[in-house]
Amino acid sequence: MRALITNDDGIDSPGLVALARGALAAGFEVIVAAPHVDSTGVGASVFAVVEDRRVRVHEAALPGVDAPAWSVEGHPAFIVHSAFEGWLEQAPDIVLSGINIGANVGLSVIHSGTVGAALTASMHGCSALATSLDCGLDGAADAHWEAVVDLLPRALELLTARPAGTVLSLNAPDLPSAELGPLREATLASVGAVQVRIAHTAGVDGAPATWQATVTSPDEPHEPGTDVALLAAGHPTISELRTVSAVPGLL
C-alpha cells in the first residue's frame, strides 16, 4: 500500500521522521509531504502560499527515511487534497498524519492540522490515521516517539478492517512502550488537554488593541472514559472521527 505521510508541525519535526520510519517498517511504500513551517492549529485549512498561481514544493531529506520527501508551502489539508487532485501520479491508499507534538484530544481536535489532514483524506474516500504523542506543546527532547510507532500495527489493523474513508485518531502517553497501559477506545472529552484564555487590552492613543493567550490545564475533573481521562491514566487511546455531514429532519 502507498502511504502519504504528513503533519502540521512541519517538515523538520522529529515526530514526522518517526512516523515515516514506522510506516516503512510496516511495509508501506512511503511518500512524505509536510508544511515547510509549523502549521499547528490550522485545522482543515487549504491555505497555500501562491506566487504566479504556483505553490512552491521543495525536495527534502529526512534522516533514516529512504523515501521521497517534500517540503510544501501550504497547510497539511492542502497537501492531502493536492495528492488526490493530480499532484501524485498515483493517489495514496492511506494517509498517516503526525506524529503530532502534543495530544489531540477532546472536541478541540477540530482545530488540529494533523486531524484536519486525516479528515480531508476521508473526503476523498481514503482511510487515514492521525497520530499524536502527549509530550507537551513544545515537545520534549527525549520524547518517546516509539510509544506511537509500536502501536501502529494494531491501529492500522483496526483502520483497514473498517470501510474506506474511515478516520482514526491515536494518542499515546509520553512513556516508554513497556510502561503503557492497554490501548483503549475513547470518547472525546468536552474540552481538550488544555484551555486557552484570552486577555484583551484596549489600544491607547491610536495603538491597536491586543490579545494575549494563556494556556492552562482544565479546571474540571476528567470525564470517565474520555480520551483525556484515559491518556492521563497511562492508556493510549483510539477514537473514530467523522467529517462534516448534514443531519436530515430540519424541515
Side-chain angles (χ1 to χ4, degrees):
M1 294 180 68
R2 183 178 176 89
L4 173 65
I5 313 293
T6 192
N7 73 350
D8 71 358
D9 294 309
I11 192 70
D12 295 323
S13 171
L16 181 73
V17 174
L19 183 57
R21 290 176 178 173
L24 287 168
F28 286 96
E29 177 187 349
V30 165
I31 182 168
V32 180
H36 70 303
V37 295
D38 187 346
S39 299
T40 297
V42 300
S45 163
V46 289
F47 171 84
V49 179
V50 180
E51 296 181 7
D52 298 326
R53 302 177 67 180
R54 297 175 182 271
V55 176
R56 292 181 178 176
V57 180
H58 312 273
E59 286 192 62
L62 303 186
V65 177
D66 185 15
W70 304 92
S71 172
V72 183
E73 296 189 16
H75 287 166
F78 170 80
I79 293 170
V80 172
H81 183 65
S82 300
F84 291 95
E85 294 295 338
W87 170 46
L88 299 178
E89 293 183 5
Q90 180 182 348
D93 300 303
I94 195 170
V95 170
L96 306 179
S97 187
I99 301 168
N100 193 73
I101 300 174
N104 272 312
V105 289
L107 298 180
S108 58
V109 296
I110 191 173
H111 304 301
S112 165
T114 294
V115 172
L119 292 174
T120 300
S122 75
M123 294 172 59
H124 292 275
C126 180
S127 296
L129 176 67
T131 62
S132 307
L133 182 68
D134 189 18
C135 57
L137 298 178
D138 298 323
D142 56 351
H144 294 89
W145 304 111
E146 75 282 359
V148 175
V149 173
D150 291 345
L151 290 164
L152 280 179
R154 178 58 176 149
L156 291 170
E157 178 186 11
L158 292 169
L159 181 62
T160 54
R162 305 286 290 169
T166 295
V167 174
L168 299 183
S169 177
L170 174 68
N171 283 276
D174 187 16
L175 296 170
S177 295
E179 297 180 18
L180 296 177
L183 178 65
R184 296 285 183 85
E185 181 178 358
T187 58
L188 300 183
S190 57
V191 296
V194 297
Q195 289 180 321
V196 179
R197 302 186 186 279
I198 302 297
H200 175 85
T201 302
V204 178
D205 297 330
T210 59
W211 285 358
Q212 182 174 1
T214 303
V215 178
T216 61
S217 298
D219 298 327
E220 302 83 1
H222 300 319
E223 305 159 84
T226 62
D227 46 10
V228 172
L230 289 168
L231 202 60
H235 291 281
T237 67
I238 195 161
S239 307
E240 182 174 350
L241 306 180
R242 297 287 176 89
T243 188
V244 177
S245 61
V247 179
L250 180 63
L251 298 178

